[in-house]
Amino acid sequence: MNKNLKDWIDITSGVNVRKCMRCGKCTATCPSYNEMEYHPHQFVYMVERGEIEPLINSESLYKCLTCFVCVERCPRNVEPAKVVEAVRLAAVRRQGKNHLSAEQIPPALDDDMPQQAIVTAFRKYTK
Amino acid sequence: MLKISADRLNDLFNRIASEQTLYIPVDREPNTAEYRKYEDGMKLSESLNTVRSAKDFFFPQTENLAEFKVEGKNIEIKDIREESGDFVVFGVRACDARSFSILDKVFLSEPVDSFYKNRREHGTIITMACTRPSETCFCTAFGIDPTAPEGDVAVFADGENYFFLDRTEKGKKFIESVADMLEDGDTSKLEEVKEKTREIMKKLPLAGLGTDSFGGDKLNELFNSPKWAELSESCLGCGTCTFVCPTCQCYDIRDFNTGNGIRRFRCWDSCMYSDFTKMAHGNPRLSQLERFRQRFMHKLVYFPANNDGEFGCVGCGRCLSRCPVSLNIVKVMKTLEVKE
Amino acid sequence: MQEAMIKRAVQLLADGTVNRVMGWKRGEFVYDITPAVFTTAEELEKDFVCDDFTQANLSKYLVKESRKEGKILAFLKPCDTYSFNQLVKEHRIIRENVYVIGIPGGPKLDIEKIKAKGITGILSVENENYTLKIETIYGTETMPFSEAVSGKCSGCKSKKHVAYDELIGDDGEVLDSNRFDMVAKLENMTSQERFDFWRGELSKCIRCNACRNVCPACTCENCVFDNPKSGIDQKAAADSFEEKMFHIIRAFHVAGRCTDCGECSRVCPQNIPLHLLNRKFIKDINELYGEYQAGADTTSRAPLNNYNADDCEPSVVHERGVE
Amino acid sequence: MQVNENFKPVIVAFCCNWCSYAGADLSGTNRLNYPANVKIIRVPCSCRVNPMFILRAFQKGADGVIICGCHPGDCHYTSGNYFTRRRITLLYSMLDFLGIERKRTRLEWVSAAEGAKFASVMEQFVSDVQKLGPNRRLEDLRCRKQ
Amino acid sequence: MQRIGVFVCHCGTNIAATVDVKAVAEALGHEAGVVISQDYQYMCSESGQNLVKNAIKEHKLTGVVVCSCSPRMHENTFRKAAASAGLNPYLVEIANIREQCSWIHKDIASATEKAIILGRAAIAKVHLNTPLTSMESPVVKRALVIGGGIAGIQTALDIAEAGFEVDIVEKEPTIGGKMAQIDKTFPTLDCAACILTPKMVEASQNEKITIHSFSEVSDVKGFVGNFTVTIKKKARYVDETKCTGCGLCTEKCPMKKVPNEFNMGLDNRRAVYIPFAQAVPKVATIDPNYCMMLKNGKCGVCSKVCSAGAIDYKQTDRFVEQKYGAIVVATGFNPIKLDKYDEFAYSYCPDVVTSLELERLMNAAGPNGGTLLRPSDKTHPHTIVFVQCVGSRCDDGKGKQYCSKICCMYTAKHAMLIREKYPDTEVYVFYIDVRTPGKNFDEFYRRAVEQYNVHYIKGMVGKVSPKADGKIDVQASDLLAGEQLHINADMVVLAAAIEPDKTARPLATMLTTQMDTNDFFTEAHPKLRPVESATAGIFLSGACQGPKDIPETVAQASAAAAKAIGLLCKNSITCNPCVAHSDELMCNGCSACEKVCPYGAITYQDKEFRMPNRTTAVRRVASVNPAVCQGCGACTVACPSGAMDLNGFSNSQIMAEVDAICK
């Protein structure tokens, strides 16, 4: 259980994960539920237990569309999307974990993708 | 007589202020002055009387007498009197100067009031002859010559110079201490100024005020006069006349719980107040008529009776100008005067 | 004007509607006015005076007078009638024992304003079409009438008589005066400036109680400051705090009842602008709880004895103006 | 104006018996804590607090006075707090007019169920007064502690 | 000279943990006037109180200060102890060094110092305490019950049983409340109407009970034992005495399109209506918003057909004023509005219903006669999904933070009834936790799961989206199986949270009772006095005090009745002696106090006084009626000269406390 990483995530996300009563509403409304290895309610529970490592290495970290429906619907004002974002930042802070190499971009381009999307993707997913 | 030119007066003030604290009358608004601690550049007020008389320096409105501390069952008394520093009060008019002799009779006779005595010894009174008496002045009625004021040092102004004449031991010592700034001067012009002031005094509306129907022996006919009712009907019972009067000397002693002990202090009291001399059985004077009568009887009858004929009033005119409903000693004297 | 009043008073005395008259009489000097009660016609002819210097508000005397035998005639200026109404509303004046004649207010003169021009030895003051000719022992002086007008009258709020049985001269109306300007100016100062201003003013106070004893709203049988059982009895301000305490408590007790007649500032021997404290309360009441003029009638409830559910919160006072 | 740390403000709180005193008790039962400088005086209703008491507190050395009452409409005596609201608004306006710091006085509505609110209001009030420093503008020099 | 005894309580460790009680006792021992100062483990215990009694007798004490818990807890205990030892009970003062000192400070030094200061303040106050004797004031032997649901009816029956007059004020045309709308009740599944209507009839026939139906309380004055209540009898345009309840007018009325609130708007009723068959009083009521006669003067069919001539279009609101000794609040609850929950599509899909609507759909007197059909196309539902905790247990600002307590049980009941009546219907229940605390509750729920195989799935419903073919796609998570489910449901039933009735807030203002932030009435003490409000003489019965089911409601209703009876059976009650009194010598007679007194306790009279020099004068002075005055103290501040003072909280006492605190 990596103590300071969990505290760091609590601080950056600004979310008190202990408020979650594990009702599962976020998971119920999550549109990209099927692609996710860890569903939102599991995400919050794992952060609460401090198991951040599996989250950082899991693919589902980037499946979250940040559509914020879980934040909208959560009855306890726990904001799972922000926890996901915080874990992403933790991942981004890790050196050497490059999720997007330069060669991958040209094939992924399509003409109506806004230029801004490329820049943010590049900033976010490369080290 | 020693003199100093008018424009070097402020240098004299600075000199005095350097040795001891100096209070001079300064104009708060045109024609109303008040005593202030001298600071460089202050201009001496031309106007006549200050609203609060010089009595305040010797008999302040509130003064701490003693302090007690109660610890459980035992009481510890702290003596909080401290020696007053030397100070000089400049520009006192003849009537105020006379008030000190009245107050001395009260406070310095047995049993001596040590607080008053302490301040009186350390205070030097420099009086100033009047040149422009106002319509409310009637000091001549009580034998006071405005052009020849008493006090420790008398100052006479003739327009360009200020002449200093010492009247008491303390005055002599004061003049010696500033002798180097003074030089001799002829006093011819002074006589002429004095004569002019005496002329004006005779023309004052209240010039002819007689005091012969008052005095120590006139108690019964004055006390029972029916005119008191009409005289006192509109008196509000506030304390203005007593608090601006230079010769009023009544005070009340009170205790205040400061949280870390009891502080006993004395403060001015006014015979006009409803709880003046309130004793265990109650108050000897219950109606405003009795209180009103008490004030003027004390000035015009009781005080002279106990002080070989010296009246308690000095004719400064403050109560005439400050009473909210214009009741004053002159109206009382004129109404109760027995004309042959 | 004075003759008309004397004639009417003598008439009323004669036909017995009243057995005494409350008015003014001259003291030693021309500006020296004393409120007085006259019982006979001769006294009225001899001493009664009503001129530019009769500023005193007679309503407070009627508290004692209306409890005596018989009916008393009182000449009241418009601002006095407001105090009269306020005292009637509080059952301090027995209305049926007073016959009120409303006399025109008109700006009155204040001798302090004349003396402040450096004029001393005043023997007589005549008013020739709004310039004053002042005879003094040092020669005659002149000054414009407007400069000698008393502080009470310069901020006059209304020339309307709100209580009278009869009128001499015509009735005026309520004026909108700029009487709150000085209060607004003070409010816009910083709190340190305000503190220094009031410490300067209130430290002059010699606790002579003239303001309390002249105020028509201050008619307690036994004032809190004179009653040892009240816990805040004080005879002199032994500390700067007690000066503030006296004036705050007095202003609070008359809040909502003060008709802004200005007598307190007129009689203060130290010329402290006490009316500003009462006007501050009047301005606050008008702004926060709706226009209210004390004494305008004898039935309305004083603002502090009244409430409505949607009054503003006290924090409003802490947010407006300058910190 | 630097704030010296060892200044411990004396705060007097007038709490109405039915609501804010009960709120204070509730914050006690919930073990919420607020600074020890606050001492509570129980009054039957907030309309019992006389401006004399507030000035007396400042005279005797208090650095801050806070009055707590029921929410308007909740008063046990139906209209008590409405009168409080008017009186205290005018009094605070006058104190401000005389130049007294605004943050030394406060009126707060706290119901019997708002224990948490009571604790946070007291916490915040004490920190405000702490920042202001000792009460110099409305104090009686004779009562100043040595 | 005062002889004061100081007793500092340890309260076990509650105080002793953070306050050095020995130091406090020792420090307070040195205060002026204190002759004995000791600490003890439990002052409120028998032996603690004996400590006080013996000290009073032994040291002939004239004042007692107990530094312990809040005066609101044990002030009476110590007052009674002092009284039994011969000391006037109002010479006892309590310093609150637990809730307001030891429990809220961690640092022992500052907590002890504060306790000493609070002790000193109490001693300073007790020095100035005067012995007071409480007055007696008469009790009106009549009770008022506000709200005619099961809570109100039960309370009224119990009070009437004890022989006292009771009035029930019900804002609907009939008593019965929510229970009348319910089909079956858990856990015994007996029919709600069958157990409720006998009590309603009993209430109407009991001569001690008068029912004011279709009425509201418009004003309450006075205080315990002496309330004066104004009841507004709303105009129902039907004369109650004449109407026999035959219902002829309700059939003939041409205006048919009125949404029937009794069936939650699922079907329509006429402009003149009787809510349901067993209505008590069985009297028709005309709805002024829909009746053509009342709106624009054209129709009058009902008055023509009415054989009893009971219709009276000119009827107006009537006000009845009545005196009562006790008031019981039984205003009940309502389900919350679900329009803010767009994820459940409640407001735009007719097949998504709340549980109460389901009750009406399944009820024999319901819109389609007891057979459960889909409201949209009246077909038989094959799959029903129940969603729990809709609006409950959430602090997202839309819903309520608390658990509504009854939803789990009534959903299990609905599931069981549906499965029993329509075995072919699949029932899914999405829950966070199933809460079944009570006698036979869990067994009831297990029967629903095991015998009637209702599918209980742990996980919340995320989205309900009606599809084109009329079916409803329910997207939910199954946390145990770890999958996201999509259920094709015919109906969705939302277990909506419950909140107090909207009329509760204005009523609380009238009764000057306290309310918590969710508008439930605040009870005097959550554990020890649950059915009394803090305001003496006002009692709480049923869901107005908090969410509760029918068994608890009836239990509380009887408890409230018992408390009310306890009050009514006294001929007079001792009232609070801490009342105001005026010092005649100082009173100006300016009637400032009379204007601020909320109870009108102050009157004026002209009295003769001796004035100076043997004269006398008549002066108008105030006098306070101690029976009416409640001791709020507003007059003491309105009085400028300080003539008006309050016993028990006098000006000098409070100032002494202020001095002691600021020392």
Side-chain angles (χ1 to χ4, degrees), chain D residues 52-73:
Chain D
M52 273 197 291
F53 304 153
I54 300 169
L55 292 173
R56 177 65 166 236
F58 279 120
Q59 175 177 27
K60 288 295 169 124
D63 298 301
V65 174
I66 181 166
I67 299 164
C68 301
C70 307
H71 286 267

Side-chain angles (χ1 to χ4, degrees), chain E residues 166-204:
Chain E
V166 192
D167 292 2
I168 300 179
V169 170
E170 169 53 50
K171 69 175 188 304
E172 294 307 324
T174 168
I175 59 175
K178 283 291 169 304
M179 190 168 169
Q181 292 176 294
I182 292 174
D183 183 19
K184 299 287 184 299
T185 57
F186 58 80
T188 54
L189 283 185
D190 45 17
C191 147
C194 310
I195 55 175
L196 176 64
T197 34
K199 284 205 180 284
M200 288 162 62
V201 170
E202 195 190 332
S204 69

